[in-house]
Amino acid sequence: MKRSIAIAGNMGSRKSTLVDFLHRTYGVVPFYEPNDENPYLADFYRDMKRWAFQSQLYFLSNKFRLHQELDRQPGVVALDRTIFEDAEIFATALHRMRKIDRRDWETYWSFYQTILRAIQPPDLLIYLRCPVRTLRRRIKLRGRAMEQDIPLAYLKRLDGLYEDWIARYDLGEVLVLDS
C-alpha cells in the first residue's frame, strides 16, 4: 500500500534526522531536500534581494520533481520538507520582506498553484515545532557556512509563518511534535 509522510519544520528542527530514523527503523524510503544542489543558495545568503526569486524558483521546481517521483514510489515514503513550505513559508517570507517583488511573486505563486493541482498531498504531515533559540544553536552546530549568519529576525519570521500555516493546513492528517 502506498503511503507518504512529509516532515515539516523550520531550519534546524531535525527534519532529516527524523527521516533517517524512519528509514533505519521502518524501512521507509527517504526523500531529502536538495539544499546542496541549489546553485543559488550561497548567493542568496550573501544577497537575499538579488537572489531570492531565483533560489525559491529553483527549490519550487526541484521539489515539484521530487513530489512527482515520490508519487510514483511504491510503499511508504518520507519527505524532508514539503513544497508547501517552500511557497507558504520561505517564499512568502521573502515576498513580505520585499526581497521578491510583486511581479516575480505573482509569477511564482501562479506556478505554485499549478503545481498543487498536479501533486498528491502527503497522507501524514509531521510538523516539528522547535523554539527559535534551539534552532539557532542547531544551525550553528550543523556548521553549514552559508547558514551561520542567518538573521534572528528572519528565523522568527519563518517560525511565525510556520505556526500560521500549520494552524490552517487542511490537506491531510497532521501530527505536531516538539523537537
Side-chain angles (χ1 to χ4, degrees):
M1 176 181 267
K2 180 174 176 10
R3 292 274 187 242
S4 62
I5 303 167
I7 312 301
N10 210 338
M11 293 180 272
S13 63
R14 301 255 166 101
K15 295 174 301 298
S16 298
T17 302
L18 181 53
V19 170
D20 288 341
F21 171 80
L22 293 171
H23 173 65
R24 286 190 324 272
T25 307
Y26 301 105
V28 171
V29 178
F31 283 81
Y32 296 97
E33 183 175 34
N35 275 334
D36 297 336
E37 299 168 19
N38 186 332
Y40 300 101
L41 202 54
D43 293 326
F44 166 75
Y45 281 120
R46 278 193 301 274
D47 184 354
M48 284 185 168
K49 183 152 183 66
R50 168 67 182 93
W51 297 104
F53 178 69
Q54 293 88 338
S55 180
Q56 291 305 306
L57 195 58
Y58 179 89
F59 276 128
L60 189 66
S61 65
N62 269 285
K63 202 65 67 58
F64 180 35
R65 278 195 289 276
L66 200 60
H67 272 270
Q68 289 177 315
E69 190 178 327
L70 70 86
D71 283 349
R72 292 188 298 268
Q73 183 76 31
V76 181
V77 299
L79 175 63
D80 168 7
R81 182 161 286 137
T82 67
I83 198 166
F84 314 112
E85 293 164 87
D86 288 338
E88 306 277 348
I89 311 302
F90 292 91
T92 296
L94 292 165
H95 173 61
R96 289 182 182 173
M97 294 164 62
R98 294 187 165 91
K99 306 292 185 190
I100 297 176
D101 69 28
R102 189 176 62 84
R103 180 182 62 178
D104 288 344
W105 174 249
E106 288 172 359
T107 299
Y108 178 94
W109 197 255
S110 175
F111 185 34
Y112 173 59
Q113 294 303 311
T114 300
I115 290 170
L116 288 181
R117 291 188 290 277
I119 62 171
Q120 294 295 314
D123 296 299
L124 173 64
L125 177 73
I126 300 174
Y127 171 56
L128 300 179
R129 179 178 283 142
C130 188
V132 173
R133 177 178 290 203
T134 303
L135 296 173
R136 286 195 79 179
R137 188 175 65 245
R138 289 177 182 170
I139 289 167
K140 293 275 185 222
L141 289 172
R142 178 163 63 193
R144 289 182 189 154
M146 67 182 100
E147 293 179 342
Q148 296 309 301
D149 295 321
I150 293 174
L152 178 60
Y154 181 61
L155 277 178
K156 286 181 177 179
R157 179 183 294 267
L158 296 177
D159 187 63
L161 286 167
Y162 264 108
E163 291 300 321
D164 292 346
W165 171 68
I166 206 66
R168 63 178 199 283
Y169 181 85
D170 63 357
L171 299 175
E173 192 172 338
V174 176
L175 173 63
V176 177
L177 299 175
D178 290 324
S179 74

